Amino acid sequence: MKLSCIVVILAGCLEAQTGTRGIVPEEVMRARPRQNAGVQAAPPKYVPLPAPEGVPRLATRQLGVTVWRLRAATESDQGARILVQEESGTTTWIPERVSSTTHLLPGDRLRLTFESPEPGYLYAIDRERYATGERGTPYLIFPTTRTRNGDNQVAPGKLIDVPAQDDRPNFFTMHKSRADQVEEEITVLLAPKLLEGVQIGPSALPLTTEQVTNWEKQWKGRFEIFELAGGGGKTWSAVEQSAAAGGTRLLTQDDPAPQTVYRVESRPNEPVLITVRLRYR
Protein backbone atom coordinates (compact mmCIF):
# COMPACT_ATOMS: atom_id res chain seq x y z
CA MET A 1 0.00 0.00 0.00
CA LYS A 2 1.26 3.46 -0.85
CA LEU A 3 1.28 6.30 1.64
CA SER A 4 -0.40 9.63 1.23
CA CYS A 5 -2.41 12.21 3.18
CA ILE A 6 -3.63 11.42 6.67
CA VAL A 7 -5.71 13.99 8.54
CA VAL A 8 -5.71 13.65 12.30
CA ILE A 9 -8.39 14.87 14.63
CA LEU A 10 -7.24 14.97 18.28
CA ALA A 11 -7.04 17.26 21.28
CA GLY A 12 -4.92 18.69 24.12
CA CYS A 13 -3.03 21.68 25.48
CA LEU A 14 0.62 22.69 25.66
CA GLU A 15 2.25 24.86 28.24
CA ALA A 16 5.58 26.71 27.98
CA GLN A 17 8.27 25.70 30.42
CA THR A 18 9.69 28.55 32.48
CA GLY A 19 13.26 29.42 31.52
CA THR A 20 13.48 27.05 28.57
CA ARG A 21 12.47 26.99 24.94
CA GLY A 22 11.09 23.47 25.25
CA ILE A 23 7.50 22.59 26.11
CA VAL A 24 5.78 19.77 27.93
CA PRO A 25 2.89 18.04 26.13
CA GLU A 26 0.68 18.55 29.19
CA GLU A 27 -2.54 16.89 28.10
CA VAL A 28 -1.03 13.93 26.20
CA MET A 29 1.23 12.99 29.11
CA ARG A 30 -0.98 14.07 32.02
CA ALA A 31 -3.92 12.08 30.63
CA ARG A 32 -1.89 8.88 31.02
CA PRO A 33 -2.17 6.99 34.32
CA ARG A 34 0.68 7.28 36.81
CA GLN A 35 2.93 4.25 37.15
CA ASN A 36 3.56 4.75 40.88
CA ALA A 37 3.67 7.42 43.53
CA GLY A 38 7.45 7.43 43.80
CA VAL A 39 10.03 9.68 42.14
CA GLN A 40 8.72 10.97 38.83
CA ALA A 41 10.83 11.07 35.69
CA ALA A 42 11.89 14.45 34.31
CA PRO A 43 9.29 15.76 31.84
CA PRO A 44 10.21 15.49 28.14
CA LYS A 45 11.34 18.68 26.43
CA TYR A 46 9.96 19.75 23.07
CA VAL A 47 11.44 22.30 20.69
CA PRO A 48 8.98 24.33 18.57
CA LEU A 49 9.56 24.42 14.83
CA PRO A 50 9.55 27.95 13.30
CA ALA A 51 6.07 29.45 12.94
CA PRO A 52 5.12 31.62 9.93
CA GLU A 53 6.06 35.25 10.44
CA GLY A 54 3.31 37.24 12.11
CA VAL A 55 1.38 34.18 13.28
CA PRO A 56 0.91 34.20 17.09
CA ARG A 57 1.58 31.16 19.24
CA LEU A 58 -1.56 29.16 19.94
CA ALA A 59 -2.94 27.89 23.23
CA THR A 60 -5.37 25.24 22.08
CA ARG A 61 -5.61 21.44 21.72
CA GLN A 62 -3.03 18.74 21.18
CA LEU A 63 -2.13 15.58 19.26
CA GLY A 64 0.84 13.21 19.56
CA VAL A 65 2.30 11.58 16.44
CA THR A 66 5.34 9.32 16.02
CA VAL A 67 6.70 8.25 12.62
CA TRP A 68 8.81 5.08 12.69
CA ARG A 69 11.21 4.06 9.92
CA LEU A 70 12.14 0.37 9.82
CA ARG A 71 15.70 -0.88 9.47
CA ALA A 72 17.06 -4.40 9.48
CA ALA A 73 17.77 -5.68 13.00
CA THR A 74 21.31 -6.51 14.10
CA GLU A 75 22.56 -8.76 16.89
CA SER A 76 23.49 -5.75 19.03
CA ASP A 77 20.01 -4.17 18.94
CA GLN A 78 18.27 -4.01 22.30
CA GLY A 79 14.95 -2.38 21.34
CA ALA A 80 11.62 -4.01 20.54
CA ARG A 81 11.42 -5.67 17.14
CA ILE A 82 8.69 -6.18 14.59
CA LEU A 83 8.36 -9.31 12.47
CA VAL A 84 7.61 -8.86 8.77
CA GLN A 85 6.36 -11.65 6.55
CA GLU A 86 8.43 -11.73 3.36
CA GLU A 87 8.17 -14.07 0.39
CA SER A 88 11.38 -15.71 1.56
CA GLY A 89 10.14 -16.03 5.15
CA THR A 90 9.96 -13.90 8.28
CA THR A 91 12.46 -11.07 8.78
CA THR A 92 13.10 -8.91 11.84
CA TRP A 93 13.12 -5.11 11.75
CA ILE A 94 13.79 -2.33 14.26
CA PRO A 95 11.48 0.74 14.17
CA GLU A 96 13.35 4.02 14.71
CA ARG A 97 11.82 7.45 15.32
CA VAL A 98 12.11 10.14 12.66
CA SER A 99 11.13 13.79 13.02
CA SER A 100 8.38 15.45 11.02
CA THR A 101 11.05 17.30 8.99
CA THR A 102 12.94 14.16 7.88
CA HIS A 103 13.12 13.72 4.11
CA LEU A 104 12.45 10.14 3.08
CA LEU A 105 13.47 7.92 0.19
CA PRO A 106 11.40 5.69 -2.10
CA GLY A 107 11.51 2.21 -0.58
CA ASP A 108 11.58 3.43 3.04
CA ARG A 109 9.31 1.34 5.27
CA LEU A 110 7.26 3.35 7.75
CA ARG A 111 4.85 2.88 10.62
CA LEU A 112 2.75 5.58 12.30
CA THR A 113 1.60 5.88 15.91
CA PHE A 114 -1.04 8.28 17.23
CA GLU A 115 -1.95 9.25 20.78
CA SER A 116 -4.79 11.43 22.05
CA PRO A 117 -5.22 12.79 25.59
CA GLU A 118 -9.00 12.46 25.26
CA PRO A 119 -11.31 9.72 23.93
CA GLY A 120 -12.45 9.72 20.32
CA TYR A 121 -12.43 7.88 17.01
CA LEU A 122 -9.44 7.91 14.67
CA TYR A 123 -9.62 8.03 10.87
CA ALA A 124 -6.69 8.05 8.43
CA ILE A 125 -6.98 9.30 4.85
CA ASP A 126 -4.21 8.62 2.34
CA ARG A 127 -3.40 10.91 -0.58
CA GLU A 128 -0.45 11.76 -2.77
CA ARG A 129 0.72 15.31 -3.43
CA TYR A 130 2.54 16.46 -6.56
CA ALA A 131 4.84 19.38 -7.40
CA THR A 132 1.93 21.25 -9.02
CA GLY A 133 -0.02 21.21 -5.73
CA GLU A 134 -2.45 18.67 -7.16
CA ARG A 135 -3.47 15.81 -4.85
CA GLY A 136 -4.43 12.26 -5.71
CA THR A 137 -7.58 10.34 -4.88
CA PRO A 138 -8.23 10.15 -1.12
CA TYR A 139 -8.50 6.68 0.42
CA LEU A 140 -9.64 5.89 3.94
CA ILE A 141 -6.90 3.48 5.04
CA PHE A 142 -7.88 3.35 8.72
CA PRO A 143 -10.09 1.94 10.08
CA THR A 144 -10.77 -1.22 8.10
CA THR A 145 -12.51 -4.37 9.27
CA ARG A 146 -9.31 -6.40 8.94
CA THR A 147 -7.45 -4.13 11.39
CA ARG A 148 -8.52 -4.41 15.05
CA ASN A 149 -11.85 -5.73 13.70
CA GLY A 150 -12.69 -2.14 12.77
CA ASP A 151 -12.11 -0.70 16.26
CA ASN A 152 -10.81 2.86 15.89
CA GLN A 153 -11.39 4.16 19.43
CA VAL A 154 -8.63 6.06 21.20
CA ALA A 155 -8.22 6.85 24.90
CA PRO A 156 -5.56 8.48 27.11
CA GLY A 157 -2.41 6.35 27.24
CA LYS A 158 -3.60 4.12 24.37
CA LEU A 159 -1.53 4.05 21.20
CA ILE A 160 -2.95 3.48 17.72
CA ASP A 161 -0.58 1.84 15.23
CA VAL A 162 -1.21 2.36 11.51
CA PRO A 163 -0.81 -0.26 10.13
CA ALA A 164 -1.46 -2.55 13.12
CA GLN A 165 1.32 -4.90 14.22
CA ASP A 166 -0.56 -7.97 12.98
CA ASP A 167 -1.55 -6.45 9.61
CA ARG A 168 -0.08 -7.95 6.46
CA PRO A 169 1.87 -5.96 5.50
CA ASN A 170 2.46 -4.21 8.84
CA PHE A 171 4.27 -1.23 7.30
CA PHE A 172 3.85 1.36 4.52
CA THR A 173 6.37 1.53 1.69
CA MET A 174 7.24 4.96 0.32
CA HIS A 175 6.62 4.72 -3.40
CA LYS A 176 6.26 7.42 -6.06
CA SER A 177 3.44 6.78 -8.52
CA ARG A 178 4.57 9.77 -10.62
CA ALA A 179 7.96 11.36 -11.16
CA ASP A 180 6.66 14.73 -9.87
CA GLN A 181 5.29 13.36 -6.60
CA VAL A 182 6.84 15.32 -3.72
CA GLU A 183 4.93 14.17 -0.64
CA GLU A 184 2.82 11.56 1.01
CA GLU A 185 0.16 13.55 2.87
CA ILE A 186 -1.32 11.78 5.84
CA THR A 187 -4.60 13.20 6.98
CA VAL A 188 -5.48 11.67 10.36
CA LEU A 189 -8.85 12.50 11.84
CA LEU A 190 -9.92 11.92 15.43
CA ALA A 191 -13.60 12.78 15.99
CA PRO A 192 -15.57 12.82 19.25
CA LYS A 193 -18.06 10.36 17.71
CA LEU A 194 -18.20 8.02 14.72
CA LEU A 195 -18.46 9.84 11.40
CA GLU A 196 -21.80 9.49 9.68
CA GLY A 197 -21.94 7.94 6.23
CA VAL A 198 -18.58 6.13 6.48
CA GLN A 199 -19.03 2.39 5.95
CA ILE A 200 -15.70 0.60 6.35
CA GLY A 201 -14.78 -2.73 4.78
CA PRO A 202 -11.75 -5.03 4.57
CA SER A 203 -9.88 -2.76 2.12
CA ALA A 204 -9.09 0.94 1.83
CA LEU A 205 -12.25 2.90 1.07
CA PRO A 206 -12.12 5.48 -1.76
CA LEU A 207 -13.57 8.82 -0.72
CA THR A 208 -14.67 11.73 -2.86
CA THR A 209 -12.53 14.85 -3.00
CA GLU A 210 -15.63 16.88 -2.14
CA GLN A 211 -16.19 14.88 1.05
CA VAL A 212 -12.64 15.34 2.32
CA THR A 213 -12.58 19.00 1.27
CA ASN A 214 -15.74 19.57 3.29
CA TRP A 215 -14.13 18.01 6.38
CA GLU A 216 -11.09 20.24 5.91
CA LYS A 217 -13.24 23.37 5.63
CA GLN A 218 -15.15 22.48 8.79
CA TRP A 219 -12.36 21.31 11.07
CA LYS A 220 -8.90 22.30 9.84
CA GLY A 221 -7.39 25.06 11.96
CA ARG A 222 -3.99 26.65 12.48
CA PHE A 223 -1.47 24.48 14.25
CA GLU A 224 2.06 24.48 15.58
CA ILE A 225 4.51 21.58 15.52
CA PHE A 226 6.86 20.64 18.38
CA GLU A 227 9.61 18.01 18.13
CA LEU A 228 10.86 15.93 21.06
CA ALA A 229 14.42 17.08 21.78
CA GLY A 230 16.82 14.17 21.17
CA GLY A 231 14.01 11.83 20.11
CA GLY A 232 15.10 11.21 16.52
CA GLY A 233 16.76 7.83 16.05
CA LYS A 234 15.41 6.36 19.30
CA THR A 235 14.20 2.80 18.84
CA TRP A 236 10.80 1.32 19.56
CA SER A 237 10.39 0.33 23.21
CA ALA A 238 8.67 -2.73 24.63
CA VAL A 239 6.08 -0.55 26.41
CA GLU A 240 5.18 1.24 23.17
CA GLN A 241 4.92 -2.09 21.41
CA SER A 242 2.59 -3.41 24.10
CA ALA A 243 0.45 -0.25 24.36
CA ALA A 244 -0.24 -0.33 20.61
CA ALA A 245 -0.88 -4.07 20.38
CA GLY A 246 -4.58 -3.76 21.19
CA GLY A 247 -4.41 -5.14 24.72
CA THR A 248 -5.04 -3.47 28.07
CA ARG A 249 -1.56 -1.94 28.51
CA LEU A 250 -1.69 1.87 28.72
CA LEU A 251 1.29 4.19 28.67
CA THR A 252 2.03 5.95 31.95
CA GLN A 253 3.49 9.41 32.49
CA ASP A 254 6.93 7.82 32.89
CA ASP A 255 6.86 6.05 29.51
CA PRO A 256 8.26 7.47 26.24
CA ALA A 257 6.53 10.61 24.94
CA PRO A 258 5.38 11.06 21.32
CA GLN A 259 8.03 12.25 18.87
CA THR A 260 5.97 15.11 17.44
CA VAL A 261 3.23 17.13 19.12
CA TYR A 262 0.73 19.12 17.08
CA ARG A 263 -0.97 21.98 18.91
CA VAL A 264 -4.15 22.72 17.03
CA GLU A 265 -6.61 25.60 17.02
CA SER A 266 -10.13 24.19 17.23
CA ARG A 267 -13.55 24.65 18.80
CA PRO A 268 -14.54 22.54 21.82
CA ASN A 269 -16.37 19.26 21.13
CA GLU A 270 -15.45 19.31 17.44
CA PRO A 271 -12.90 17.25 15.51
CA VAL A 272 -9.40 18.66 15.03
CA LEU A 273 -7.82 18.24 11.63
CA ILE A 274 -4.14 18.50 10.76
CA THR A 275 -1.95 17.37 7.89
CA VAL A 276 1.14 15.23 8.51
CA ARG A 277 3.51 15.53 5.55
CA LEU A 278 5.99 12.81 4.63
CA ARG A 279 8.35 14.49 2.21
CA TYR A 280 10.55 12.84 -0.39
CA ARG A 281 14.22 13.79 -0.41
Side-chain angles (χ1 to χ4, degrees):
M1 179 183 295
K2 292 178 290 185
L3 269 182
S4 191
C5 179
I6 298 175
V7 181
V8 180
I9 302 180
L10 294 175
C13 174
L14 294 177
E15 180 177 300
Q17 286 185 281
T18 304
T20 74
R21 294 183 61 186
I23 64 168
V24 175
E26 289 289 347
E27 295 305 320
V28 167
M29 298 297 287
R30 188 161 51 195
R32 296 176 179 178
R34 286 192 178 276
Q35 186 172 24
N36 54 59
V39 178
Q40 300 299 313
K45 293 182 179 180
Y46 283 80
V47 178
L49 298 183
E53 185 175 354
V55 176
R57 292 289 180 191
L58 307 177
T60 52
R61 300 165 71 190
Q62 174 176 306
L63 160 70
V65 180
T66 303
V67 179
W68 305 93
R69 180 166 53 191
L70 304 187
R71 64 165 174 80
T74 66
E75 293 183 0
S76 61
D77 282 318
Q78 301 297 319
R81 305 179 181 213
I82 190 164
L83 300 180
V84 174
Q85 296 294 330
E86 310 275 7
E87 291 184 1
S88 58
T90 301
T91 57
T92 305
W93 296 78
I94 297 290
E96 287 184 335
R97 292 174 176 236
V98 298
S99 76
S100 62
T101 59
T102 299
H103 286 72
L104 303 164
L105 294 173
D108 279 349
R109 298 181 173 194
L110 303 181
R111 293 176 49 74
L112 306 166
T113 301
F114 303 99
E115 181 180 358
S116 170
E118 62 185 51
Y121 297 87
L122 185 75
Y123 297 85
I125 303 165
D126 183 13
R127 282 188 291 185
E128 298 176 350
R129 190 177 186 90
Y130 310 103
T132 59
E134 175 190 4
R135 293 186 290 184
T137 300
Y139 286 88
L140 182 71
I141 59 172
F142 182 84
T144 65
T145 55
R146 71 175 187 176
T147 301
R148 299 174 172 275
N149 294 318
D151 178 16
N152 65 333
Q153 278 192 285
V154 295
K158 178 180 179 180
L159 295 182
I160 296 291
D161 270 354
V162 180
Q165 296 174 37
D166 57 357
D167 276 353
R168 296 294 180 267
N170 50 7
F171 58 88
F172 292 114
T173 300
M174 295 288 285
H175 171 72
K176 288 187 178 184
S177 64
R178 288 173 24 178
D180 65 339
Q181 185 180 345
V182 295
E183 293 178 350
E184 303 285 358
E185 289 184 352
I186 302 178
T187 304
V188 181
L189 187 147
L190 178 66
K193 59 183 180 179
L194 291 171
L195 295 179
E196 296 181 359
V198 177
Q199 300 296 324
I200 64 173
S203 302
L205 176 68
L207 302 173
T208 66
T209 299
E210 292 74 18
Q211 185 176 26
V212 177
T213 299
N214 184 51
W215 290 341
E216 291 176 330
K217 287 180 178 178
Q218 290 183 79
W219 303 320
K220 188 172 184 178
R222 295 182 304 162
F223 63 90
E224 296 176 292
I225 304 174
F226 296 83
E227 289 292 333
L228 179 64
K234 297 291 186 182
T235 58
W236 202 31
S237 67
V239 293
E240 290 168 306
Q241 180 184 39
S242 177
T248 59
R249 175 68 160 90
L250 298 178
L251 292 182
T252 70
Q253 296 179 24
D254 297 320
D255 291 327
Q259 174 61 31
T260 307
V261 171
Y262 292 79
R263 185 164 66 181
V264 188
E265 185 178 54
S266 68
R267 291 182 291 272
N269 303 317
E270 286 195 1
V272 179
L273 187 151
I274 68 167
T275 301
V276 178
R277 301 187 181 278
L278 304 178
R279 299 175 175 87
Y280 284 100
R281 186 179 301 176

